[in-house]
Amino acid sequence: MTRRSVTAQYPEVQPELPPRTRGVIGLFEENCTVCMLCARECPDWCIYIDSHKETVPAATPGGRERSRNVLDRFAIDFALCMYCGICIEVCPFDALFWSPEFEYAETDIHDLTHERDKLREWMWTVPEPPALDPAAEEPKEIAAARKTAEKLAAQAQEQAQAAQAQAEQAQEQAQAKEEEGEA
């Protein structure tokens, strides 16, 4: 109350948005496996996904061919979207993210259905995730992965030591045979 109010000159000066701003949804297409969870869980049914199956040849000779889903269309109708974020939360492969972009107004409501190309463009405006708290507890997944890696490293070291011991023993036996042959 003791300070003068300051008017933000919006079009010329962009606002400083909070880090968790919900603007639009960005699509990281490489992570999308076309599982359709986002479309099924959307309460507004505003996500449209089309795909087809492709056969992937066997990786090894005699192996089995596999089939995988290929994304043909991924569109979100922002005229229907209520920005609840359920689609982002249920995505098991981290293909959807909140972007702070908010300047996507259109003159026609039909133009608010944005296809995957536009959603991919918004992906590059997604801010970096906040740094982990250094005092926080290590995630269980990372601890389990570290424990497994340490166990594998210990096994590899034991195998290397055993191989070195066998090599030394074989070398000693070869020297003993040479000495017997000379005598």
Side-chain angles (χ1 to χ4, degrees):
M1 302 245 334
T2 60
R3 292 185 299 191
R4 294 181 60 101
S5 62
V6 178
T7 302
Q9 304 297 324
Y10 165 62
E12 293 82 29
V13 179
Q14 291 293 320
E16 290 186 29
L17 300 172
R20 295 179 57 178
T21 299
R22 292 183 176 190
V24 293
I25 298 169
L27 171 68
F28 190 55
E29 193 174 336
E30 289 78 15
N31 285 359
C32 184
T33 60
V34 196
C35 65
M36 306 278 194
L37 274 175
C38 54
R40 281 184 290 190
E41 295 295 325
C42 179
D44 292 332
W45 291 85
C46 64
I47 300 175
Y48 309 109
I49 301 174
D50 292 329
S51 67
H52 68 276
K53 288 195 180 272
E54 280 185 0
T55 303
V56 179
T60 58
R64 190 179 78 165
E65 289 184 342
R66 307 235 181 230
S67 66
R68 69 179 183 111
N69 288 329
V70 178
L71 186 65
D72 292 329
R73 179 180 186 224
F74 193 104
I76 299 177
D77 187 353
F78 286 103
L80 295 175
C81 183
M82 65 180 183
Y83 303 92
C84 63
I86 292 174
C87 57
I88 295 169
E89 295 296 323
V90 300
C91 181
F93 301 104
D94 289 335
L96 297 173
F97 295 90
W98 281 117
S99 170
E101 291 291 317
F102 61 92
E103 297 174 322
Y104 57 95
E106 299 289 343
T107 55
D108 185 13
I109 195 167
H110 300 294
D111 294 335
L112 282 173
T113 301
H114 295 291
E115 299 291 331
R116 69 181 182 179
D117 296 332
K118 187 66 173 177
L119 299 175
R120 188 182 316 118
E121 285 177 27
W122 284 327
M123 183 61 210
W124 307 120
T125 62
V126 172
E128 289 284 326
L132 296 176
D133 183 8
E137 187 177 303
E138 184 177 49
K140 295 174 188 169
E141 296 86 359
I142 294 175
R146 180 175 290 116
K147 186 176 179 181
T148 303
E150 288 171 357
K151 187 186 293 185
L152 291 174
Q155 287 176 352
Q157 187 176 12
E158 288 175 8
Q159 289 176 351
Q161 289 175 350
Q164 184 179 4
Q166 286 179 348
E168 289 174 1
Q169 190 177 28
Q171 189 177 19
E172 289 174 5
Q173 289 175 353
Q175 285 179 354
K177 286 184 181 180
E178 285 180 16
E179 289 176 5
E180 286 179 12
E182 291 176 5

